[in-house]
């Protein structure tokens, strides 16, 4: 038995050393030898970002572990079953497939919640490991889950509704390697890949070469997707409400329904309402749905900023929203792009006219019935259209509403059962798809677009690197300037301190000089006084020496001294 190390070495040699032709020929043998999930997991672990190299080397003729003669058991996969158009469509499709006699397994990554759309009770729900926890080395957990589910429930076909998932390539490799049919429901426009999914669009498009069939929501999309895999136009289910639930169109309530996200342009709706309401303070804009907290809060903040707190209402997310359609007089639709917007289908079902940004490829809007549209992003035009609609009398509104309802009725007649039955009956295992059937022109175009974009990306990387260097250099210069400024400030402060010290010393020397001068003056005064006293004393001595009494006393003093010495025996 091969060890993990040997499998790692074999996978490395297969991808990095063998020619594309040899690698493609060896692929079925590796799948048979190691098992699909093990080999694909090893590739995902070591070469997660090398999808193009792997795509070029895999073979769709890999042996299948499960090759039924027809499809009888279907698994449908999406992340969750709440708060979204795709989730609501799945909820409507499940009973259609059940009525066709298929066994249905619902695969999600989130457990059921009270907010989930309704699911028929006899449909079993199974959890898949979350994509957020299965990247690269952890993909083995997801691959193993696919293998276990396909084997345990004997799945013949998987309807993969996460059409733009970064995991589609790896899941497709695993699912097809396990011999199961793969149908992808494409719920958006192919232009979305070139507009939003910039980083992964080429890997996504290549992944579709592994797909047995793509279900698209506009006839305009069939030609594009046929370049990558067989595609069929099957619209989403349109459920007609009872005619008595249609709106009377007498209220001044504008309804906006959707997820609060950038491509839905919820802020545009607020701006349009602010311009269109004019002096009509009784009109209301009801924005039904939820989304990222930051986006919702920004829309609410805009409403407050425009003084519309009491006129723009945010009821949040609701599973059942028929009453909101019934009480509204018009649907305001601001999406930049959509596949088959269920909001428009539901609004038309309730006889609501729709004021919207133009979506020329959208099947529900192409017949123009009940539709008033302006070019994308034309807020002023959309506001004028809404204002003009609100100015219509009830009779004129009802005429538009009738056309809208008739449009929904025409879509409701589409035979969804037949379309899905033909799709599942047409699936063949192994897949009919092959590398030989790829559209060479499209492949050549995509390869060169990718090459050109890689050059642009490299150039941008260099520009960004230069920008980073400039920012770093600027930061260093700022730091140097800061240090120089600090030194300058220190020198200025030090100079001020020195000047202060010098001034203090100068004052001290001046004070000492003044004191010395005073001492000298005092000494001079004392000398003068001494000289005066000495003169006085000399004058007085001179006067005494001339006095007869003094002379007599001197003589008497000498005689007495002589007598005392004799008496003392000191003189004879």
């Amino acid at each position: 038995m091969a060890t993990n190390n040997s499998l790692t070495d074999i996978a490395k040699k297969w991808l990095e050393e063998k020619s594309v032709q040899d690698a493609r020929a060896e692929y079925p043998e590796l799948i048979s030898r190691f098992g699909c999930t093990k080999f694909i997991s090893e590739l995902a672990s070591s070469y997660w970002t090398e999808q193009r190299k792997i795509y070029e080397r895999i073979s769709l003729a890999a042996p299948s572990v499960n090759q039924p003669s027809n499809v009888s058991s279907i698994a449908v996969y999406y992340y969750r079953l709440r708060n979204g158009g795709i989730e609501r469509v799945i909820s409507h499709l499940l009973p259609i497939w059940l009525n066709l006699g298929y066994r249905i397994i619902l695969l999600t990554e989130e457990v059921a919640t009270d907010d989930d759309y309704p699911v028929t009770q006899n449909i079993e729900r199974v959890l898949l490991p979350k994509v957020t926890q299965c990247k690269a080395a952890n993909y083995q957990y997801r691959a193993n889950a696919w293998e276990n589910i396909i084997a345990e429930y004997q799945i013949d076909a998987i309807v993969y509704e996460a059409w733009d998932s970064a995991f589609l390539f790896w899941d497709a490799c695993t699912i097809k390697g396990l011999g199961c049919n793969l149908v992808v429901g494409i719920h958006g426009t192919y232009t979305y890949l070139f507009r939003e999914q910039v980083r992964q669009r080429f890997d996504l498009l290549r992944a579709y070469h592994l797909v047995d069939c793509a279900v698209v929501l506009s006839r305009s999309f069939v030609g594009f997707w046929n370049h990558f895999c067989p595609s069929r136009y099957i619209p989403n289910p349109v459920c007609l409400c009872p005619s008595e639930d249609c709106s009377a169109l007498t209220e001044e309530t504008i309804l906006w329904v959707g997820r609060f996200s950038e491509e839905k342009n919820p802020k545009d709706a607020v701006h349009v309402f602010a311009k269109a309401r004019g002096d009509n303070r009784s009109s209301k804009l009801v924005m039904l749905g939820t989304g990222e907290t930051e986006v919702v809060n920004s829309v609410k903040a805009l409403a407050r900023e425009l003084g519309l707190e009491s006129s723009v209402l945010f009821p949040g997310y609701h599973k059942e929203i028929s009453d909101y359609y019934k009480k509204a007089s018009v649907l305001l639709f601001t999406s930049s792009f959509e596949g088959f917007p269920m909001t428009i289908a539901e609004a038309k079902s309730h006889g609501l006219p729709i004021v919207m940004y133009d979506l020329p490829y959208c099947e529900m809007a192409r017949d123009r019935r009940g539709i008033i549209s302006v070019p994308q992003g034309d807020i002023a035009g959309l506001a004028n259209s809404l204002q003009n609609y609100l100015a219509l009398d009830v009779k004129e509104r009802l005429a538009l509403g009738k056309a809208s309802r008739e449009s929904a009725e025409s879509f409701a007649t589409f035979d969804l059962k037949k379309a899905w039955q033909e799709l599942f009956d047409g699936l063949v295992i192994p897949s009919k798809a092959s590398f030989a059937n790829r559209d060479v022109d499209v492949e050549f175009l995509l390869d060169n677009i990718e090459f050109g974009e890689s050059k642009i990306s490299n150039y941008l990387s260099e520009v960004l690197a230069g920008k980073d260097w400039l920012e770093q250099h600027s930061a260093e210069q700022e730091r140097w300037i800061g240090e120089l400024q600090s030194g300058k400030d220190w020198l200025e402060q030090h100079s001020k301190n020195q000047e202060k010290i010098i001034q203090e010393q100068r004052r001290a020397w001046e004070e000492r000089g003044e004191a010395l001068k005073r001492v000298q003056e005092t000494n001079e005064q004392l000398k003068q006084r001494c000289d005066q006293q000495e003169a006085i004393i000399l004058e007085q001595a001179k006067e005494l020496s001339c006095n007869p009494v003094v002379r007599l006393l001197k003589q008497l003093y000498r005689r007495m001294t002589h007598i005392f010495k004799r008496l003392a025996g000191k003189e004879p």
Side-chain angles (χ1 to χ4, degrees), residues 179-248:
C180 190
N181 288 295
L182 178 60
V183 177
V184 178
I186 299 176
H187 292 273
T189 67
Y190 61 83
T191 55
Y192 168 79
L193 300 179
F194 295 89
R195 174 174 177 156
E196 301 293 330
Q197 297 283 37
V198 176
R199 292 184 180 274
Q200 63 189 51
R201 59 188 172 199
F202 295 107
D203 289 335
L204 268 171
L205 289 172
R206 292 189 180 97
Y208 277 90
H209 282 303
L210 307 176
V211 173
D212 295 293
C213 185
V215 176
V216 298
L217 299 175
S218 173
R219 293 179 177 89
S220 301
F221 302 159
V222 174
F224 176 84
W225 288 107
N226 274 337
H227 290 300
F228 303 95
C229 64
S231 64
R232 287 172 175 259
Y233 164 67
I234 304 179
N236 286 335
V238 175
C239 302
L240 289 176
C241 68
S243 57
E244 57 268 22
D245 286 343
C246 287
S247 173

Side-chain angles (χ1 to χ4, degrees), residues 95-272:
I96 294 175
W97 295 333
L98 275 177
N99 289 336
L100 287 172
Y102 296 113
R103 179 193 184 192
I104 308 299
I105 303 297
L106 175 61
L107 306 178
T108 64
E109 297 179 8
E110 296 182 9
V111 298
T113 69
D114 293 338
D115 291 333
D116 280 13
Y117 293 110
V119 176
T120 307
Q121 290 184 354
N122 56 344
I123 292 179
E124 187 170 352
R125 184 166 181 169
V126 180
L127 293 181
L128 268 178
K130 292 183 178 181
V131 292
T132 54
Q133 301 170 352
C134 294
K135 187 175 181 180
N138 291 326
Y139 182 73
Q140 59 179 319
Y141 302 112
R142 189 174 173 94
N144 290 335
W146 281 120
E147 183 175 23
N148 294 335
I149 290 169
I150 290 172
E152 180 178 352
Y153 297 98
Q154 297 182 341
I155 302 298
D156 306 316
I158 291 172
V159 181
Y160 196 100
E161 303 287 6
W163 72 282
D164 60 345
S165 170
F167 277 65
L168 175 58
F169 174 79
W170 297 105
D171 286 347
C173 288
T174 302
I175 292 167
K176 292 306 300 174
L178 292 169
C180 190
N181 288 295
L182 178 60
V183 177
V184 178
I186 299 176
H187 292 273
T189 67
Y190 61 83
T191 55
Y192 168 79
L193 300 179
F194 295 89
R195 174 174 177 156
E196 301 293 330
Q197 297 283 37
V198 176
R199 292 184 180 274
Q200 63 189 51
R201 59 188 172 199
F202 295 107
D203 289 335
L204 268 171
L205 289 172
R206 292 189 180 97
Y208 277 90
H209 282 303
L210 307 176
V211 173
D212 295 293
C213 185
V215 176
V216 298
L217 299 175
S218 173
R219 293 179 177 89
S220 301
F221 302 159
V222 174
F224 176 84
W225 288 107
N226 274 337
H227 290 300
F228 303 95
C229 64
S231 64
R232 287 172 175 259
Y233 164 67
I234 304 179
N236 286 335
V238 175
C239 302
L240 289 176
C241 68
S243 57
E244 57 268 22
D245 286 343
C246 287
S247 173
L249 305 182
T250 56
E251 302 294 332
E252 298 300 310
T253 301
I254 298 100
L255 181 63
W256 184 96
V257 181
R259 185 178 63 257
F260 283 71
S261 58
E262 183 181 356
E263 74 276 6
K264 306 288 186 181
N265 299 312
K267 288 186 177 180
D268 283 15
V270 177
H271 283 298
V272 166

